[in-house]
Structures are given as C-alpha cells and as structure tokens.
Amino acid sequence: LEVVRTAARSTRSPLEVYGDRLTAEVLDHSWEGMTLRVRADREYVLGVPLRGRHHASNVTLAVRALEILGICPQSATFSGVRMPGRTERVAQRYVLDVAHNPQGIQALADTLRELGLPPGSCILLGLLSDKDSEGSLGPLAVLGLPAVFVRAGSERAREPGELLGTWTGLGGTGEVAVS
C-alpha cells in the first residue's frame, strides 16, 4: 500500500483507502445478503445481496466511486449486484465458491461459520498443484464437515488422494470421489 501512496503523492493523484475515512459496519448478515452502514462523504444504509463480511470494503469503495461520479449511492442498484461462484447458493441446497487461495478460503470458512449450513452438509473440493493445500484446507477443516475430494479439471490438478491425506492430517474426515 505504501508504494501506491507514494505513487499517488508523486503524481498528485487523489487516493481513497478503505479504513482511513471510508468504513463500513455490517448491521445484518444472512443468506440473503448484508445490510451495511457505509461511511464515505456521507453515511448510507444499504442492502446488498452479497454474502461474506469481506465484501463490505468493496461496497464501500464502490459507494465512494459513485459519490465522485455525482451519483447518489442510495439510488444505485446494489440489488442487482451478483458475484457468481462466490458463496453462491444453488437450488437452496448447494453453496458454490471458487476460492483458490488461503485468504479466499478463510473468508469462505468465516462466512459459512457465521451463516451456518444445514445438517448433512459436506465439502466437495478440488485444488491445483501450485496451491498451498494445507493453508487452503485448514480453514475448512475446522468447520468439522466431511469432505469429498475430486480431481480439478486441469493438468495442474493435485491428486484427490493427496488432498485427502492433508485433510485427515488436519483432523478432517472424508473420501475420494470415484470417477
């Protein structure tokens, strides 16, 4: 961030950073989305159909961009915001997420822990070989759900048996899907 701040100063460009004066407070969070109190030039209470507290900073920066453009964020259509593949509910029974690094998977695990999952839920997961398997599986393993491991559709895929070994080493239970 310091490199960006330095570049902004050297080019006399304005820089808005979440957490400086731009903040958000999650007022409500459910499978339907979040209600946020966003503070930018003004304060707004907005409903957004995104799941995961980590999205609050993105919404806040979008609000600030709308303010700069002279558009009232209250009238902006946040209700149409979609992030396919990010804590996406499918047929009310499945949650799809394409998180592919430890930080994204931690955000997913935090969201699942907060919102809860129905009894009998399990994790279906494939991972590429260049990804940190222990760092990626760790946040999910602590959820205590069983897992089914598959081979991702890539030549770089990590073998499901290897993932299962890492998973059980983290205290999880699971199996390899038979193809």
Side-chain angles (χ1 to χ4, degrees):
L1 182 58
E2 193 50 44
V3 171
V4 174
R5 288 182 193 275
T6 300
R9 278 192 300 272
S10 71
T11 59
R12 294 188 174 105
S13 300
L15 177 65
E16 302 275 358
V17 177
Y18 180 79
D20 287 354
R21 69 177 195 88
L22 306 174
T23 61
E25 174 187 358
V26 178
L27 303 176
D28 185 52
H29 188 207
S30 71
W31 281 107
E32 283 68 49
M34 293 184 291
T35 302
L36 302 172
R37 174 175 289 120
V38 174
R39 292 178 188 90
D41 272 357
R42 292 183 38 217
E43 184 175 294
Y44 308 90
V45 175
L46 301 168
V48 293
L50 300 174
R51 291 165 290 278
R53 291 175 179 270
H54 55 286
H55 292 299
S57 59
N58 296 329
V59 171
T60 302
L61 293 171
V63 163
R64 181 61 188 131
L66 290 169
E67 285 181 337
I68 290 168
L69 294 170
I71 300 169
C72 177
Q74 292 283 11
S75 65
T77 315
F78 281 96
S79 63
V81 173
R82 299 287 180 267
M83 292 192 73
R86 292 295 184 178
T87 322
E88 178 183 2
R89 283 188 91 172
V90 180
Q92 297 301 313
R93 185 171 173 195
Y94 305 99
V95 177
L96 172 65
D97 200 293
V98 296
H100 58 278
N101 60 45
Q103 297 82 7
I105 292 174
Q106 182 66 60
L108 169 63
D110 291 345
T111 301
L112 295 177
R113 189 178 303 106
E114 180 178 357
L115 299 182
L117 289 168
S121 295
C122 76
I123 294 169
L124 176 67
L125 188 116
L127 200 64
L128 298 180
S129 61
D130 60 346
K131 302 300 178 183
D132 173 7
S133 61
E134 191 166 321
S136 296
L137 297 179
L140 295 172
V142 298
L143 295 175
L145 298 171
V148 177
F149 295 97
V150 298
R151 188 174 195 335
S154 168
E155 56 199 34
R156 296 181 5 239
R158 191 175 304 269
E159 288 302 318
E162 184 182 338
L163 292 170
L164 177 60
T166 302
W167 184 258
T168 57
L170 293 166
T173 61
E175 60 187 81
V176 170
V178 178
S179 54

